[in-house]
Amino acid sequence: SQQGEEDPQALSIQEGENATMNCSYKTSINNLQWYRQNSGRGLVHLILIRSNEREKHSGRLRVTLDTSKKSSSLLITASRAADTASYFCATDIISSGSARQLTFGSGTQLTVLP
Amino acid sequence: DSGVTQTPKHLITATGQRVTLRCSPRSGDLSVYWYQQSLDQGLQFLIHYYNGEERAKGNILERFSAQQFPDLHSELNLSSLELGDSALYFCASSATGGSGPLGDTQYFGPGTRLTVL
């Protein structure tokens, strides 16, 4: 089963508007990462937020993490048509012993209309 | 460009066949991870190698195997292929095995699209 679940599944906005995507997860994490994927292409790492951080910024991206609610949000400000893509959250958990793995959510499909 | 390369880009084969997917990590990265992305299962972690040794296993079928070579490139072998194995297969690399308490970033390759007919 998916550790992370994004909400909404799909989001359509006008260029210039802000886009907010949410991610909820189930177990304790070491960090949470957001990735972007253009249709059929590889995943591009956007930002990593550690479990002891509450907010992080990178350019037009703002990520928050609430470990008490086991949730994270990704805000893209002043969206552009080029931001159209699927966005995934991925939780870094310890799978067994010291082994780690990333567990991905099902993604939010963002469409930015020109 | 993430610096991770995967070959081939596309692979079309028949049921029952065996294929090998190849991944070269970013220069200096010791870890390689394999993922499968399909419409019904989403993005699933398969296996993680660190400096030549298997570190973690996810939802990897027994028909699938992987290895990481001394030069740190990795291969994913898929055998007795079934229609349901059609998917995008990604590898990712990271600097370490994420052995530190707070992990590290994984960089993804462009993927290999496998179609089983």
Side-chain angles (χ1 to χ4, degrees):
Chain A
S1 64
Q2 299 287 354
Q3 155 78 329
E5 292 295 333
E6 285 93 338
D7 175 70
Q9 289 187 335
L11 178 62
S12 184
I13 59 175
Q14 292 293 137
E15 212 165 22
E17 293 180 341
N18 296 341
T20 299
M21 288 158 269
N22 302 297
C23 170
S24 60
Y25 57 91
K26 298 172 185 172
T27 63
S28 296
I29 61 171
N30 297 293
N31 65 63
L32 186 144
Q33 304 179 32
W34 284 90
Y35 287 82
R36 163 201 169 115
Q37 183 182 33
N38 286 58
S39 180
R41 309 287 290 273
L43 281 81
V44 175
H45 181 262
L46 296 176
I47 199 164
L48 179 154
I49 186 164
R50 304 192 189 285
S51 59
N52 60 353
E53 296 176 311
R54 292 295 166 259
E55 188 171 313
K56 205 160 183 181
H57 297 254
S58 176
R60 292 184 296 114
L61 306 180
R62 174 178 167 250
V63 169
T64 61
L65 179 65
D66 187 334
T67 53
S68 66
K69 294 181 180 177
K70 292 187 169 56
S71 67
S72 173
S73 68
L74 170 67
L75 168 68
I76 303 174
T77 60
S79 64
R80 306 166 182 168
D83 294 329
T84 295
S86 291
Y87 291 82
F88 295 88
C89 70
T91 48
D92 179 345
I93 61 174
I94 296 180
S95 55
S96 64
S98 62
R100 314 174 75 106
Q101 63 180 80
L102 276 184
T103 304
F104 284 81
S106 50
T108 292
Q109 172 61 49
L110 173 66
T111 303
V112 181
L113 303 169
Chain B
D1 183 3
S2 67
V4 178
T5 60
Q6 288 187 249
T7 57
K9 285 188 179 178
H10 301 276
L11 200 48
I12 301 175
T13 188
T15 54
Q17 294 298 306
R18 173 190 170 94
V19 297
T20 297
L21 313 182
R22 183 188 167 102
C23 169
S24 292
R26 294 187 321 156
S27 178
D29 282 0
L30 298 177
S31 273
V32 170
Y33 309 79
W34 285 97
Y35 295 87
Q36 178 195 59
Q37 186 178 36
S38 60
L39 283 175
D40 54 344
Q41 295 289 324
L43 198 59
Q44 300 274 327
F45 165 73
L46 296 178
I47 198 163
H48 167 206
Y49 275 83
Y50 172 73
N51 204 21
E53 293 190 4
E54 182 184 303
R55 183 62 77 87
K57 260 185 176 178
N59 300 321
I60 188 166
L61 300 172
E62 286 191 9
R63 299 183 286 109
F64 296 0
S65 65
Q67 53 184 325
Q68 186 180 28
F69 295 87
D71 67 353
L72 301 177
H73 90 272
S74 177
E75 292 181 355
L76 179 68
N77 300 295
L78 315 176
S79 62
S80 303
L81 286 168
E82 302 174 359
L83 296 177
D85 297 328
S86 295
L88 265 170
Y89 290 84
F90 291 104
C91 83
S93 72
S94 70
T96 69
S99 56
L102 299 174
D104 59 358
T105 299
Q106 294 185 21
Y107 296 90
F108 281 73
T112 292
R113 182 174 293 280
L114 173 66
T115 302
V116 182
L117 300 175

